[in-house]
Amino acid sequence: MEQNNDAEGILVIDFGSQYVQLIARRIRENRVHSIVEAPSISIKRIKKINPRGIIFSGGPSSVYDKGAPSFDKRILDLGVPVLGICYGMQLIGKLAGGKITKSGKREYGHTVVRFKRNNPFFKGMRQKGVTWMSHRDKVTKLPKGFTSIARSENTACAAFLNKEKNIFGVQFHPEVVHTENGGKILKNFLFNVCECKRTWTMKSFIAQKVKGIKEQVGDNEVILGLSGGVDSTVSAVLLHKALGKKLHCIFVDNGVLRKGERDRVEKLFKKNIKLDLRVVDAEKRFLKVLRGVTEPEKKRKIIGREFIKVFEESAKKIKGVKFLAQGTLYPDVIESQSFFGGPSKTIKSHHNVGGLPRKMGLRLVEPLRDLFKDEVREVGSELGLAKELTGRQPFPGPGLAVRVMGEVTKERLNTLREADWIIIDVAKNRNIYNKTWQIFGLFLPVKSVGVMGDARTYENTIALRAVTSVDGMTADWAKIPYDILGEISNRIINQVEGINRVVYDISSKPPSTIEWE
C-alpha cells in the first residue's frame, strides 16, 4: 500500500501497555489525530483507517510467552511507517526474522542511551541522553535489512531502523516525561518520518461533530442526563449547538451535591444557554435508600440504581425521544475494549444510566467519545464556556455520599457541604485550585476532644485531600503551603458547626486512591 497523501493520523496498536493512553495523548498534543486499536485489527480495517503511521505499544508480555499478543505480519509491508516501542520493538524484531533473548541484566528506570543521528528519527538529538527503560528482553540479532541506531550499556541495540520500509523500534519509552527529549523523538516520527499535518484542532472537531450529530439524530428528540460537571456541560452545549430544541436535559438533585450546585446549573442552562432543562428534586428518595448504608461500593450501587429509576421516570414524560446522550470520553472507550480478555471497565455506571438505552429502545449519542479530558476542556472554551466551568475539577458520580465516611445523613452532608465550600473558596482565592487535580473535604465520623473558649468540645473531623496529577491515574499529595492549610483549618473550625479538628491526607496514588471510598 503506497503512502496516501490524503491519509491523516496515527494508529496506535495496544499490546497491554500502561502507557497506551499517554502515547495517544502525546500524538494529539502535536495536533495530530490518534486512535487506539487491538492487536487483532485486520489489514482491511487498517486500510480503511488509512493512517500516516502506526505505533506498536509496549506491554507486559515476553514475545516468547505462550499466548503473547502479536500482529498480522503483513502490516510491515503496507508501506506505512511503523514505530515499535519496547515490546512492540521486540515483536517487530521477532516477526521480521531477528532474535530476541532475555537480558542478563534487566534494564528498568533511567538509562543513558547513545544515539546515531544520521536518520530522520533522531534528527536534532544530542549524542546521548537519559531514557526510561522497562524491559527484560532485548534484540540480540537484527533482522535482515535492519540496523542499530542507538545503544546503551546493557544492549547494543536500544533502537533500530529498516530504512527501506521506514520501520523504527526503540527499547525505551519516548512517551513518558522521564525520557529526555522523548517529545522530540515522537515529533520526529510524526513530522519527519510520517509527514503528518497539524489538522487535529478542537475547532475542526466541533464543526465535524455538529455535522455528524445532525446526520445521526435527524428529526428525533434526544435526552441527556446533566450532572453539571465538565463532561456533561460540554456535551450539552455541543449537542444544543447541533440540535437546538430537540435536546432535553434532565438534572437530578439527589441530595448529595455540593453547596449551591442546583442553583448554579439552573442559572447556567436555563437563563444563559436557554436549553430545555428539567430539574428533578429527588433528595428525599436518595437519602431514604441510603439510610443505614455504610459500605462504599453498596452506596455507589444504590445511588446508581436510584438514579436510573428517577431518570427513566422523567425521560418517559418527554415525547418522541429516540436517543440518549452520554458524556463518554476516549479513555473510557480504550479501557472498556478489554483487548486482553480482562474484565471490561464499567463506564460511569451512575452517570451513563447503564441499561436504559436497551430498556427504553434508545440509541446512543456520545459527542465526546473521541476526546481526552484536556481536549474536552478545549472544546468547552471554543464553545464559549467560561474557564470557571471548563476548569472545574473532577467530582465523583455518587457525589458527597462517598465523601461522608460511614452512614450518609442530611446533617452530615450539610456539614461537609459547608466545609467543602470553604476549602474550594480558599483554594481559588489563594491560587491553588488550578494547580491541583483535586482538592476537597471528607467528613469523618471520628469524634475527638477540643476546646472552644472555656468549653470542652467533643466533635467530628474533616479530612482535607489535595492531589496533583496529569490524568488521575497516578497522583501525588499536594505540597500546599502551611499558611494556606492553616487558613482552611481555622475557617472550617470557626465557621462549621460540629467540627473541631481538620487533618491533611498526605498519601499518594498508588498505593492510596484519590477518593477515600
Side-chain angles (χ1 to χ4, degrees), residues 331-451:
D332 300 325
V333 176
I334 295 171
E335 291 178 13
S336 67
Q337 290 180 34
S338 189
F339 293 161
F340 304 100
S344 62
K345 181 181 176 185
T346 301
I347 306 171
K348 301 179 184 175
S349 58
H350 42 271
H351 263 319
N352 69 12
V353 290
L356 268 187
R358 187 169 56 253
K359 186 176 181 182
M360 297 181 68
L362 301 177
R363 285 170 281 173
L364 283 177
V365 183
E366 297 173 306
L368 307 179
R369 69 175 280 120
D370 298 326
L371 303 182
F372 287 97
K373 189 78 174 187
D374 52 340
E375 294 172 323
V376 174
R377 298 187 196 280
E378 279 190 64
V379 168
S381 296
E382 283 284 347
L383 290 169
L385 289 172
K387 190 174 181 179
E388 184 181 352
L389 293 172
T390 60
R392 292 193 91 198
Q393 295 181 353
F395 187 65
L400 298 180
V402 291
R403 291 181 180 173
V404 169
M405 303 299 103
E407 184 180 5
V408 180
T409 66
K410 188 168 184 177
E411 181 183 15
R412 289 178 173 181
L413 285 166
N414 286 338
T415 299
L416 177 57
R417 256 189 280 269
E418 293 301 322
D420 191 68
W421 186 88
I422 290 171
I423 291 168
I424 300 302
D425 186 54
V426 173
K428 288 182 177 179
N429 289 337
R430 297 296 295 270
N431 197 31
I432 62 170
Y433 183 82
N434 292 325
K435 295 177 182 178
T436 55
W437 173 261
Q438 280 177 279
I439 180 168
F440 57 88
L442 303 111
F443 178 91
L444 308 186
V446 178
K447 291 192 173 184
S448 61
V449 176
V451 177

Side-chain angles (χ1 to χ4, degrees), residues 16 20 50 98 141 175 187 198 232 297 304 321 398 455 479 499:
V20 68
N50 195 24
K141 179 184 175 184
E175 71 273 21
K187 283 182 181 178
R198 298 177 185 269
S232 69
E297 191 55 31
V321 174
K479 281 61 174 180
I499 300 297

Side-chain angles (χ1 to χ4, degrees), residues 4-250:
N4 190 329
N5 290 330
D6 296 324
E8 282 303 329
I10 299 295
L11 168 64
V12 181
I13 297 182
D14 179 17
F15 290 100
S17 171
Q18 61 180 316
Y19 301 130
V20 68
Q21 289 191 29
L22 193 54
I23 297 170
R25 285 180 58 194
R26 290 284 181 262
I27 296 166
R28 293 186 182 200
E29 286 169 4
N30 286 286
R31 299 300 182 193
V32 176
H33 189 235
S34 63
I35 61 170
V36 179
E37 293 283 341
S40 58
I41 186 171
S42 66
I43 296 294
K44 183 179 179 181
R45 166 80 174 144
I46 293 174
K47 288 181 177 179
K48 185 177 180 181
I49 294 171
N50 195 24
R52 292 200 76 89
I54 298 171
I55 294 179
F56 296 145
S57 82
S61 302
S62 165
V63 293
Y64 294 114
D65 286 347
K66 185 177 180 182
S70 189
F71 63 86
D72 190 324
K73 186 179 175 182
R74 292 176 295 171
I75 292 176
L76 302 179
D77 297 317
L78 289 175
V80 178
V82 173
L83 168 60
I85 297 175
C86 198
Y87 177 82
M89 171 190 181
Q90 295 159 13
L91 201 52
I92 291 171
K94 179 191 172 189
L95 294 181
K99 187 176 181 181
I100 315 298
T101 58
K102 286 193 181 299
S103 175
K105 178 183 177 184
R106 185 185 179 198
E107 280 186 314
Y108 183 82
H110 297 91
T111 304
V112 175
V113 168
R114 294 181 177 275
F115 305 101
K116 293 182 179 178
R117 296 167 292 176
N118 58 345
N119 61 83
F121 190 59
F122 289 143
K123 185 178 180 181
M125 295 286 290
R126 294 195 299 269
Q127 188 174 4
K128 67 178 182 178
V130 175
T131 66
W132 183 260
M133 294 278 193
S134 179
H135 70 102
R136 64 180 186 267
D137 296 347
K138 64 180 181 180
V139 179
T140 51
K141 179 184 175 184
L142 285 164
K144 185 178 179 180
F146 286 72
T147 57
S148 173
I149 55 173
R151 63 183 296 126
S152 71
E153 185 180 340
N154 188 44
T155 177
C157 184
F160 62 38
L161 161 66
N162 183 313
K163 191 173 181 180
E164 182 185 348
K165 294 186 176 182
N166 242 357
I167 299 173
F168 299 81
V170 289
Q171 189 58 75
F172 53 87
H173 289 270
E175 71 273 21
V176 302
V177 294
H178 308 294
T179 295
E180 291 178 351
N181 291 312
K184 186 174 186 63
I185 293 171
L186 287 176
K187 283 182 181 178
N188 282 342
F189 181 69
L190 295 177
F191 303 114
N192 294 343
V193 177
C194 300
E195 299 180 352
C196 291
K197 299 174 184 175
R198 298 177 185 269
T199 57
W200 177 248
T201 66
M202 294 307 98
K203 189 173 183 179
S204 65
F205 169 83
I206 291 170
Q208 293 168 7
K209 188 55 65 173
V210 166
K211 181 181 177 184
I213 291 169
K214 287 179 178 179
E215 291 174 353
Q216 181 185 5
V217 172
D219 293 325
N220 296 298
E221 307 295 308
V222 179
I223 53 172
L224 169 69
L226 193 62
S227 70
V230 175
D231 301 342
S232 69
T233 296
V234 174
S235 293
V237 176
L238 182 57
L239 286 162
H240 186 249
K241 182 179 178 69
L243 304 173
K245 293 181 180 179
K246 292 198 287 285
L247 174 67
H248 310 278
C249 296
I250 299 172

